[in-house]
Amino acid sequence: MDADDSRAPKGSLRKFLEHLSGAGKAIGVLTSGGDAQGMNAAVRAVVRMGIYVGAKVYFIYEGYQGMVDGGANIAEADWESVSSILQVGGTIIGSARCQAFRTREGRLKAACNLLQRGITNLCVIGGDGSLTGANLFRKEWSGLLEELARNGQIDKEAVQKYAYLNVVGMVGSIDNDFCGTDMTIGTDSALHRIIEVIDAIMTTAQSHQRTFVLEVMGRHCGYLALVSALACGADWVFLPESPPEEGWEEQMCVKLSENRARKKRLNIIIVAEGAIDTQNKPITSEKIKELVVTQLGYDTRVTILGHVQRGGTPSAFDRILASRMGVEAVIALLEATPDTPACVVSLNGNHAVRLPLMECVQMTQDVQKAMDERRFQDAVRLRGRSFAGNLNTYKRLAIKLPDDQIPKTNCNVAVINVGAPAAGMNAAVRSAVRVGIADGHRMLAIYDGFDGFAKGQIKEIGWTDVGGWTGQGGSILGTKRVLPGKYLEEIATQMRAHSINALLIIGGFEAYLGLLELSAAREKHEEFCVPMVMVPATVSNNVPGSDFSIGADTALNTITDTCDRIKQSASGTKRRVFIIETMGGYCGYLANMGGLAAGADAAYIFEEPFDIRDLQSNVEHLTEKMKTTIQRGLVLRNESCSENYTTDFIYQLYSEEGKGVFDCRKNVLGHMQQGGAPSPFDRNFGTKISARAMEWITAKLKEARGRGKKFTTDDSVCVLGISKRNVIFQPVAELKQQTDFEHRIPKEQWWLKLRPLMKILAKYKASYDVSDSGQLEHVQPWSV
């Protein structure tokens, strides 16, 4: 991206990475506490970004223990020392619990070891304990230096030269138990492991009509239990922050037997290892099993997942998150002054932010204190917006009130899938149907898109009809790319015949175009004067009005997994470059983010035009790379990035130019990117965003109740999306200006600002805009 890029914050001076220099600085990177998938991606980003800006970067092996022991435990890292670690779980530099660092004596040794190498910048990847230790070390630094000088271990010059220590933290913890950040490194990967196990258990449990009690990690935080319960539609969940009410034993048994009576062949109960009752007494998985067996006589099994959750390869989300945070951490260290407090780089929405480390630690400790004092509502509130939102959504979707207790609205709300299938669509439909029924509406399912709508393929859909849908890939309702334009008459007739009062459309760019067509036809057909809302679901992630769409994360994981396998095969044969074509239409999201997650050397996308000189420079870059120990290359190409530079053309060019240096292979990923079971992110995102859409529909219908109001204003036809940090409804009429209709993409796309990251981490010079970084924000407790 050029320096004159118009996306600059208005009225501010742009600030680029080129303005920051790491010359003469030394950065130490360590991983501490429990390991988490994605830590290696963070280490890689810190090392490469540090070297890129001219700093020296040192590995500190075995966490704080290595810092105290010194010697070979602190070693300089180079570019190649972090090659091929992106896809590896755990941490290659080791992690250990360290008693010595808890003593001043230990910290004195650590300071001495760092000074021998001139390290005054620390990047700590770990949990709250590790980060608190780093902060204490920073506070004591000048005192430790003076003591070392008194002992004659360093001279007076050194005391002045290394007068202060900068500390930046990244949170690596699978529990997602750190306040102030939406997601910690490793959480998404742990959810992948849990969901893989649950999907496998569901098939066996159904065969035998069994009840399964699954225990997941989370001694003090129920995030993993809660999100996995949401993502698999569990019957009951036990969390430390929100214990069940008195008499839960009976309630749970009633719920399980009701579900069996509704022909549900299996029950799944999820328990966090730290689950407690309102008296702070532990609720164990064995206790729950005994209860189900004695009260109901069901065949019940317990599965404790244990360390499986920490293992395996990191998900695409964790790799991108860790890479972004690693780069941000280096920038924070370069910008730090003696007065800058220790900070944590964290994620808010899709925005990287910096927060004061001790504010986050304090709030994390406040949660534990609230639980100890049995102030459970406060505990949920302090956990933040996303935790409380997940809990409310789970409660609404898991427990159905008896019909006679739900006040009827006499409104019919229809749900339709439009466009190509995307993993997570079914989770969105399930959520919409259940929230709609809980709100008192009659829910209608439209089969086979607008084509089916015109033909009258419309049926009422009930609470139990959508049971077990969250884990299903594709679209159970059926979906087509057909637009409503040529069937407006027939669709209006069907709307009238079924007296449809509101419409929820789940789909991709075709759904967006369809919504525009229905909105334009309101003058002619008053049947369309009802609230209409679209939830974006497409692997391409090209819907205006939303930074993310359902299905893109699953596709990204498919691409990343495939690239991992291909890289493995390439490193076996040596000197081989793979060219991989991804889907996405004209939108380069999958190619760009896939490149970042898989550690690609280049990613060609439509949004950033390229010519033969760029291709030539990439070939030269790979030729240089083949002289190092990393003798393989990976190049991604979006399917429509160029009319003439096709995958075949690029393959032939690389093959010709690389003769004698490397050989080439090509691979077109194709429709495997649309298939497969949805990832935890897509299940969760589809469930939550669809529930929000139904709440909006309910609110709109409530406004009009008894007034026979027609909906004609723009704000009654919206796209629901995530923008920066918020979930927002935007009228399609307003989004028209932001859309490039010819290429079916939004005119501005947030992920383009991450483009230079991929280039920097692949050893290219790139201009990276750091205007957004730098402001230290404060942790906002969220009021329920």
Side-chain angles (χ1 to χ4, degrees):
M1 278 176 1
D2 297 319
D4 59 21
D5 189 348
S6 60
R7 276 185 281 277
K10 295 285 175 278
S12 69
L13 280 169
R14 301 297 301 277
K15 187 170 62 178
F16 285 89
L17 188 58
E18 297 88 297
H19 306 155
L20 301 171
S21 165
K25 293 197 174 183
I27 299 171
V29 58
L30 69 144
T31 51
S32 171
D35 67 313
Q37 308 95 320
M39 278 183 165
N40 285 330
V43 169
R44 170 180 176 268
V46 170
V47 169
R48 292 196 167 173
M49 190 65 174
I51 293 170
Y52 180 84
V53 295
K56 280 187 167 184
V57 186
Y58 290 85
F59 285 149
I60 299 172
Y61 290 100
E62 310 305 335
Y64 289 119
Q65 193 63 54
M67 204 192 285
V68 173
D69 296 345
N73 286 308
I74 304 176
E76 191 172 348
D78 62 17
W79 195 272
E80 287 163 47
S81 45
V82 289
S83 171
S84 304
I85 66 169
L86 196 55
Q87 65 273 25
V88 180
T91 161
I92 58 154
I93 53 176
S95 175
R97 311 265 177 205
C98 175
Q99 287 306 317
F101 194 76
R102 291 171 184 261
T103 66
R104 185 173 168 93
E105 203 179 334
R107 293 193 289 277
L108 193 67
K109 279 187 194 165
C112 188
N113 290 328
L114 292 183
L115 288 176
Q116 283 168 14
R117 294 162 184 82
I119 299 171
T120 55
N121 294 283
L122 273 190
C123 184
V124 183
I125 308 164
D128 60 343
S130 315
L131 298 179
T132 310
N135 190 58
L136 176 63
F137 191 38
R138 182 183 158 278
K139 277 190 178 152
E140 288 183 353
W141 184 256
S142 53
L144 293 169
L145 260 57
E146 282 164 18
E147 195 172 326
L148 289 170
R150 281 200 302 276
N151 301 349
Q153 288 169 279
I154 58 169
D155 55 26
K156 285 276 189 289
E157 274 173 39
V159 175
Q160 286 175 330
K161 188 177 174 189
Y162 303 123
Y164 63 95
L165 177 74
N166 293 320
V167 172
V168 173
M170 280 182 266
V171 190
S173 153
I174 65 165
D175 295 340
N176 204 20
D177 55 357
F178 195 77
C179 292
T181 179
D182 284 358
M183 285 290 260
T184 57
I185 297 167
T187 305
D188 188 63
S189 304
L191 285 170
H192 272 260
R193 297 300 92 79
I194 294 169
I195 294 301
E196 282 158 19
V197 170
I198 293 176
D199 285 353
I201 277 176
M202 276 186 156
T203 50
T204 164
Q206 260 177 328
S207 311
H208 296 277
Q209 292 206 26
R210 283 196 173 129
T211 296
F212 267 87
V213 181
L214 275 125
E215 185 180 302
V216 300
M217 281 186 169
R219 209 167 314 139
H220 305 293
C221 177
Y223 185 88
L224 289 178
L226 177 56
V227 174
S228 42
L230 199 55
C232 74
D235 297 77
W236 203 272
V237 65
F238 291 94
L239 315 169
E241 295 89 343
S242 181
E245 293 161 8
E246 294 291 324
W248 61 268
E249 296 89 345
E250 193 183 331
Q251 279 178 311
M252 184 182 79
C253 291
V254 167
K255 168 98 194 300
L256 297 181
S257 54
E258 273 176 8
N259 282 349
R260 281 288 166 98
R262 290 189 189 128
K263 301 281 187 292
K264 187 174 177 184
R265 292 179 61 88
L266 80 159
N267 303 111
I268 287 196
I269 299 165
I270 295 181
V271 193
E273 61 179 328
I276 47 176
D277 63 16
T278 47
Q279 302 308 308
N280 283 16
K281 294 206 172 61
I283 298 177
T284 63
S285 35
E286 278 303 325
K287 180 180 172 183
I288 296 164
K289 176 187 168 176
E290 277 170 33
L291 183 71
V292 176
V293 173
T294 52
Q295 298 282 324
L296 298 168
Y298 292 166
D299 184 357
T300 306
R301 304 290 155 101
V302 172
T303 302
I304 296 172
L305 295 191
H307 280 74
V308 165
Q309 296 160 82
R310 283 194 193 281
T313 178
S315 65
F317 181 94
D318 272 333
R319 296 181 198 194
I320 293 165
L321 171 68
S323 299
R324 287 180 68 182
M325 286 189 178
V327 166
E328 187 68 30
V330 172
I331 296 169
L333 286 171
L334 295 183
E335 292 183 340
T337 67
D339 309 322
T340 315
C343 75
V344 173
V345 286
S346 127
L347 195 68
N348 190 334
N350 65 18
H351 226 64
V353 294
R354 294 181 201 168
L355 301 164
L357 188 147
M358 286 323 288
E359 278 187 26
C360 298
V361 169
Q362 185 56 55
M363 199 153 146
T364 306
Q365 289 169 352
D366 287 349
V367 178
Q368 190 53 49
K369 192 163 176 259
M371 292 194 297
D372 293 343
E373 293 171 5
R374 310 217 297 259
R375 292 181 289 113
F376 296 110
Q377 272 179 317
D378 288 346
V380 170
R381 181 177 63 81
L382 289 165
R383 274 273 178 247
R385 195 167 60 169
S386 116
F387 190 90
N390 284 332
L391 187 58
N392 290 335
T393 307
Y394 174 76
K395 285 177 179 168
R396 292 202 73 179
L397 297 177
I399 296 157
K400 180 181 185 289
L401 286 171
D403 285 341
D404 53 9
Q405 284 180 31
I406 302 173
K408 297 285 174 281
T409 60
N410 299 323
C411 290
N412 298 328
V413 179
V415 183
I416 183 172
N417 286 352
V418 178
M425 275 184 161
N426 298 322
V429 172
R430 167 186 176 267
S431 168
V433 167
R434 291 198 168 177
V435 171
I437 290 170
D439 283 345
H441 310 311
R442 184 165 160 264
M443 297 302 295
L444 302 172
I446 300 169
Y447 294 85
D448 297 335
F450 287 118
D451 191 24
F453 203 165
K455 292 176 184 157
Q457 295 173 348
I458 304 167
K459 281 214 305 255
E460 184 171 356
I461 186 163
W463 185 278
T464 49
D465 297 335
V466 291
W469 278 29
T470 40
Q472 307 279 328
S475 160
I476 297 172
L477 292 185
T479 179
K480 285 194 176 165
R481 289 178 178 272
V482 177
L483 291 173
K486 28 184 180 173
Y487 303 114
L488 290 170
E489 203 67 55
E490 293 90 328
I491 291 174
T493 307
Q494 294 297 339
M495 296 264 301
R496 197 167 52 249
H498 292 89
S499 52
I500 292 171
N501 306 99
L503 184 62
L504 170 62
I505 305 175
I506 298 166
F509 204 84
E510 283 83 8
Y512 171 68
L513 293 174
L515 198 55
L516 280 167
E517 289 181 2
L518 293 176
S519 162
R522 277 178 159 184
E523 286 177 19
K524 202 167 167 201
H525 302 282
E526 63 169 16
E527 291 84 356
F528 300 138
C529 296
V530 297
M532 294 190 269
V533 63
M534 173 196 163
V535 166
T538 164
V539 297
S540 308
N541 196 25
N542 62 340
V543 176
S546 188
D547 292 346
F548 295 105
S549 54
I550 299 165
D553 183 70
T554 305
L556 206 49
N557 277 295
T558 303
I559 293 167
T560 310
D561 291 348
T562 311
C563 288
D564 285 352
R565 290 178 187 191
I566 285 171
K567 273 168 81 171
Q568 205 169 25
S569 91
S571 57
T573 44
K574 297 275 189 292
R575 298 175 175 276
R576 180 162 284 176
V577 174
F578 273 88
I579 291 148
I580 295 170
E581 182 185 300
T582 67
M583 287 176 112
Y586 285 99
C587 177
Y589 178 81
L590 289 179
N592 187 64
M593 300 309 252
L596 193 54
D601 295 284
Y604 299 118
I605 60 172
F606 168 76
E607 291 87 348
E608 188 175 281
F610 58 98
D611 58 21
I612 197 77
R613 287 182 296 276
D614 297 304
L615 292 170
Q616 182 63 38
S617 104
N618 291 144
V619 171
E620 285 163 11
H621 191 88
L622 282 164
T623 309
E624 282 304 304
K625 190 177 174 183
M626 294 301 160
K627 294 175 186 168
T628 70
T629 53
I630 320 166
Q631 299 185 344
R632 53 167 171 64
L634 184 67
V635 174
L636 269 66
R637 177 190 176 273
N638 159 263
E639 59 184 352
S640 305
C641 66
S642 164
E643 199 180 336
N644 296 312
Y645 297 137
T646 59
T647 303
D648 283 330
F649 176 91
I650 293 175
Y651 163 68
Q652 285 161 350
L653 176 86
Y654 272 58
S655 299
E656 182 60 36
E657 295 290 321
K659 254 189 194 152
V661 184
F662 57 79
D663 64 351
C664 268
R665 293 288 183 273
K666 63 172 192 233
N667 200 319
V668 177
L669 297 186
H671 280 76
M672 63 189 279
Q673 294 162 83
Q674 282 181 358
S679 67
F681 180 91
D682 278 331
R683 295 180 194 200
N684 196 0
F685 179 51
T687 300
K688 288 203 293 191
I689 200 161
S690 190
R692 280 288 288 116
M694 277 312 300
E695 286 164 9
W696 177 86
I697 285 176
T698 300
K700 287 277 176 205
L701 292 172
K702 212 176 231 168
E703 279 171 33
R705 197 170 301 157
R707 284 185 279 166
K709 180 183 163 194
K710 287 266 178 288
F711 291 88
T712 51
T713 53
D714 287 347
D715 66 358
S716 60
V717 189
C718 287
V719 171
L720 169 57
I722 286 193
S723 179
K724 292 202 173 62
R725 307 181 186 189
N726 302 309
V727 176
I728 52 172
F729 291 87
Q730 285 172 279
V732 278
E734 287 174 19
L735 290 173
K736 264 161 90 170
Q737 284 82 46
Q738 300 169 26
T739 309
D740 171 353
F741 284 99
E742 186 192 344
H743 299 107
R744 301 159 56 92
I745 52 174
K747 287 179 185 168
E748 284 192 13
Q749 302 185 84
W750 70 274
W751 52 266
L752 280 168
K753 70 172 188 285
L754 300 185
R755 186 116 176 105
L757 290 198
M758 195 200 87
K759 295 181 182 175
I760 288 169
L761 296 175
K763 218 174 186 175
Y764 284 91
K765 285 261 175 277
S767 182
Y768 181 45
D769 183 355
V770 293
S771 313
D772 289 349
S773 315
Q775 273 63 52
L776 201 61
E777 302 190 6
H778 290 284
V779 188
Q780 300 297 330
W782 183 68
S783 48
V784 177

